[in-house]
Amino acid sequence: MRVTALVDNKKLPNRPDLKAEKGLSYHITTDNHTLLFDVGGGHVFYDNANAMGIEISDVDAAIISHRHHDHANGLPCFFQHNQKAKLYLRDCGQETYSFHFLSLKLNVGMDISVLKDNQKRLSYIKETTEILPNIFLVLNQSTAYPRPLGNKYLYSKSLNTSNKDAFNHELFMVIKEHDGIVIFTGCAHAGVLNMIETAYSLFPNEKIKGVVGGFHLVGLPLFNTLGGNHTDITLIAETLKQYPITKMYTGHCTGTKAYKILKTVLHDKINYFPTGSSVTI
């Protein structure tokens, strides 16, 4: 398969025609399908796709990993430029999502009006589902490992009750090919190790060709702090080494400080994957 980063917090330095955006969007082509995994926070994914010669109108299916604005607010632009693809997202209650730090409170949820305006294009996922042949959206995730410490700043609100976000709006994707599986994490608020452990359990005899996406190892994105300390991130990296993973491509909410620690431990098994990057897995 071919994976291209349409949106990431950073971009390739040799592509001045592309735009970076705090968010995530991947264009994925397999032998039989063209997918869009997340759509960033606006029209940047579409502008970058045009600059790279990628036709958004050709996408067969779009997936939203979770209902945060930097992954889903590009949907109005997507529906405007694609008339055929189903949109898949996790079924959950009507909640709002926010970031809290001291007295600062920011809305980080997606604009749900686009869902009301495009109901016929939606497919809500209630359980782990094979949406297309060998393309799986996974819901029930392992709790073997701790969740990211950066989650502590994230809240959800239903009616008048506000709680720490349990991320019952999150999913991840697994694509199975003849030579192994590829895991797409989104932000991995459930924990990248939990996602990998879940996929490894679902596909026990498959090599993990790749893990692609954010690992949410940032603490406070505004200040690019670590979600934990150096020892915490090193332990995650050492645990990643124990799984049969060929290569990892990360960015976005992993954070640059955490990435440097991961790189020190994992060496050439992990690469940063900025806007404009494209790789065959």
Side-chain angles (χ1 to χ4, degrees):
M1 77 181 70
R2 189 77 177 168
V3 182
T4 301
L6 300 182
V7 169
D8 181 73
N9 299 31
K10 296 181 177 294
K11 67 173 184 174
L12 291 174
N14 63 343
R15 292 297 305 262
D17 55 325
L18 302 180
K19 302 171 186 174
E21 175 186 60
K22 181 190 171 295
L24 191 73
S25 180
Y26 296 139
H27 182 268
I28 305 156
T29 56
T30 69
D31 288 342
N32 299 307
H33 296 288
T34 302
L35 311 173
L36 195 62
F37 188 79
D38 288 338
V39 292
H43 57 80
V44 169
F45 84 94
Y46 180 76
D47 295 342
N48 287 341
N50 277 344
M52 289 187 279
I54 293 172
E55 294 288 345
I56 294 300
S57 60
D58 292 340
V59 169
D60 301 317
I63 299 96
I64 295 299
S65 65
H66 62 296
R67 299 191 185 198
H68 282 175
H69 64 89
D70 52 341
H71 293 252
N73 271 7
L75 282 176
C77 181
F78 173 73
F79 285 125
Q80 179 184 352
H81 295 286
N82 180 292
Q83 305 302 316
K84 65 175 184 177
K86 276 280 189 184
L87 173 71
Y88 297 87
L89 67 168
R90 185 167 177 172
D91 189 24
C92 65
Q94 293 294 322
E95 296 183 332
T96 58
Y97 305 100
S98 55
F99 169 89
H100 295 189
F101 177 64
L102 300 177
S103 61
L104 178 66
K105 293 184 180 181
L106 300 173
N107 176 23
V108 296
M110 67 175 289
D111 180 359
I112 62 170
S113 64
V114 68
L115 303 181
K116 298 175 182 177
D117 295 339
N118 295 276
Q119 294 184 39
K120 293 181 179 180
R121 302 276 300 274
L122 308 182
S123 182
Y124 289 101
I125 303 299
K126 297 182 179 181
E127 59 186 359
T128 296
T129 303
E130 187 176 9
I131 60 169
L132 292 167
N134 294 315
I135 299 172
F136 301 85
L137 300 184
V138 183
L139 270 60
N140 299 320
Q141 301 176 36
S142 170
T143 56
Y145 300 99
R147 287 189 165 199
L149 294 176
N151 284 354
K152 66 183 179 180
Y153 303 109
L154 298 168
Y155 287 75
S156 64
K157 184 176 181 181
S158 180
L159 298 177
N160 293 318
T161 303
S162 183
N163 296 295
K164 293 284 180 69
D165 196 344
F167 289 96
N168 61 1
H169 53 105
E170 185 178 47
L171 55 79
F172 70 96
M173 181 169 70
V174 176
I175 299 179
K176 181 181 176 183
E177 295 191 310
H178 71 278
D179 55 348
I181 63 172
V182 180
I183 302 167
F184 293 86
T185 64
C187 265
H189 287 287
V192 64
L193 293 175
N194 288 325
M195 289 184 170
I196 292 169
E197 174 63 26
T198 301
Y200 190 59
S201 298
L202 289 172
F203 303 94
N205 299 315
E206 298 290 342
K207 177 179 72 174
I208 303 174
K209 295 196 298 176
V211 179
V212 186
F215 296 174
H216 205 74
L217 300 180
V218 71
L220 286 164
L222 296 173
F223 305 107
N224 190 32
T225 62
L226 281 175
N229 56 40
H230 193 285
T231 301
D232 296 327
I233 309 303
T234 300
L235 179 59
I236 290 170
E238 293 290 353
T239 307
L240 286 168
K241 286 175 63 176
Q242 298 173 22
Y243 286 93
I245 303 169
T246 303
K247 192 81 174 183
M248 288 165 268
Y249 303 90
T250 193
H252 183 46
C253 59
T254 298
T256 55
K257 291 180 179 178
Y259 173 73
K260 289 178 181 178
I261 299 170
L262 296 175
K263 188 70 173 175
T264 299
V265 176
L266 296 167
H267 305 294
D268 61 353
K269 290 187 68 117
I270 191 167
N271 279 346
Y272 199 91
F273 201 57
T275 301
S277 301
S278 193
V279 64
T280 299
I281 302 177

